[in-house]
Short mmCIF file of all heavy atoms in Angstrom, two decimals:
data_model
loop_
_atom_site.label_atom_id
_atom_site.label_comp_id
_atom_site.label_asym_id
_atom_site.label_seq_id
_atom_site.Cartn_x
_atom_site.Cartn_y
_atom_site.Cartn_z
N LYS A 1352 10.54 9.58 -22.90
CA LYS A 1352 9.85 8.34 -23.17
C LYS A 1352 8.49 8.10 -22.35
O LYS A 1352 7.61 7.51 -23.00
CB LYS A 1352 10.74 7.20 -22.81
CG LYS A 1352 11.86 6.98 -23.88
CD LYS A 1352 12.66 5.77 -23.44
CE LYS A 1352 14.13 6.08 -23.43
NZ LYS A 1352 15.03 5.50 -22.59
N CYS A 1353 8.38 8.63 -21.25
CA CYS A 1353 7.16 8.55 -20.40
C CYS A 1353 6.95 9.74 -19.57
O CYS A 1353 7.84 9.90 -18.65
CB CYS A 1353 7.25 7.12 -19.69
SG CYS A 1353 5.81 7.00 -18.63
N LYS A 1354 5.97 10.37 -19.74
CA LYS A 1354 5.71 11.66 -19.00
C LYS A 1354 5.47 11.16 -17.48
O LYS A 1354 5.58 12.04 -16.56
CB LYS A 1354 4.51 12.34 -19.46
CG LYS A 1354 4.65 12.83 -20.88
CD LYS A 1354 5.52 14.07 -21.08
CE LYS A 1354 5.69 14.51 -22.54
NZ LYS A 1354 6.70 13.64 -23.15
N GLU A 1355 5.18 9.96 -17.25
CA GLU A 1355 4.90 9.53 -15.86
C GLU A 1355 5.99 8.64 -15.32
O GLU A 1355 5.83 7.65 -14.67
CB GLU A 1355 3.54 8.83 -15.80
CG GLU A 1355 2.36 9.70 -16.13
CD GLU A 1355 2.21 10.73 -15.11
OE1 GLU A 1355 2.24 10.52 -13.85
OE2 GLU A 1355 2.14 11.95 -15.45
N PHE A 1356 7.20 9.05 -15.70
CA PHE A 1356 8.44 8.06 -15.52
C PHE A 1356 8.57 7.83 -14.05
O PHE A 1356 9.19 6.73 -13.64
CB PHE A 1356 9.61 8.72 -16.11
CG PHE A 1356 10.26 9.96 -15.55
CD1 PHE A 1356 11.45 9.80 -14.79
CD2 PHE A 1356 9.64 11.12 -15.56
CE1 PHE A 1356 12.02 10.85 -14.04
CE2 PHE A 1356 10.18 12.17 -14.82
CZ PHE A 1356 11.29 12.12 -14.17
N ARG A 1358 6.50 7.02 -11.90
CA ARG A 1358 5.78 5.78 -11.54
C ARG A 1358 6.41 4.54 -11.71
O ARG A 1358 5.95 3.39 -11.45
CB ARG A 1358 4.35 5.86 -12.19
CG ARG A 1358 3.52 6.98 -11.88
CD ARG A 1358 2.09 6.91 -12.45
NE ARG A 1358 1.39 8.24 -12.43
CZ ARG A 1358 0.58 8.64 -11.50
NH1 ARG A 1358 0.49 7.99 -10.33
NH2 ARG A 1358 0.08 9.81 -11.56
N HIS A 1359 7.62 4.70 -12.41
CA HIS A 1359 8.38 3.37 -12.72
C HIS A 1359 9.15 2.92 -11.39
O HIS A 1359 9.74 1.79 -11.32
CB HIS A 1359 9.35 3.60 -13.79
CG HIS A 1359 8.71 4.00 -15.05
ND1 HIS A 1359 9.37 4.22 -16.22
CD2 HIS A 1359 7.36 4.06 -15.50
CE1 HIS A 1359 8.52 4.58 -17.19
NE2 HIS A 1359 7.41 4.48 -16.76
N LYS A 1424 -1.75 8.34 -16.06
CA LYS A 1424 -1.31 7.00 -16.04
C LYS A 1424 -0.04 6.74 -16.83
O LYS A 1424 0.09 7.38 -18.02
CB LYS A 1424 -2.39 6.06 -16.54
CG LYS A 1424 -3.64 6.11 -15.57
CD LYS A 1424 -4.90 5.92 -16.33
CE LYS A 1424 -5.95 6.72 -15.50
NZ LYS A 1424 -7.16 6.87 -16.24
N CYS A 1425 0.74 5.91 -16.37
CA CYS A 1425 1.95 5.47 -17.14
C CYS A 1425 1.47 4.34 -18.16
O CYS A 1425 0.80 3.37 -17.84
CB CYS A 1425 3.00 4.75 -16.28
SG CYS A 1425 4.05 3.64 -17.07
N LYS A 1426 1.86 4.75 -19.46
CA LYS A 1426 1.19 3.77 -20.45
C LYS A 1426 2.32 2.71 -20.92
O LYS A 1426 1.93 1.90 -21.73
CB LYS A 1426 0.76 4.70 -21.69
CG LYS A 1426 -0.40 5.57 -21.32
CD LYS A 1426 -1.82 4.89 -21.68
CE LYS A 1426 -2.90 5.80 -20.94
NZ LYS A 1426 -3.07 7.13 -21.24
N CYS A 1427 3.53 2.91 -20.31
CA CYS A 1427 4.47 2.06 -21.06
C CYS A 1427 4.65 0.77 -20.14
O CYS A 1427 5.42 -0.16 -20.71
CB CYS A 1427 5.77 2.78 -21.19
SG CYS A 1427 6.49 3.40 -19.68
N VAL A 1428 4.02 0.51 -19.08
CA VAL A 1428 3.99 -0.69 -18.43
C VAL A 1428 2.77 -1.35 -18.62
O VAL A 1428 1.70 -0.85 -18.51
CB VAL A 1428 4.09 -0.47 -16.95
CG1 VAL A 1428 4.26 -1.77 -16.08
CG2 VAL A 1428 5.40 0.41 -16.57
ZN1 LIG B 1268 5.80 4.69 -18.10
#
Side-chain angles (χ1 to χ4, degrees):
K1352 278 182 233 152
C1353 176
K1354 301 283 176 280
E1355 295 299 309
F1356 73 110
R1358 294 189 198 270
H1359 303 176
K1424 292 144 212 167
C1425 155
K1426 296 269 166 52
C1427 58
V1428 181

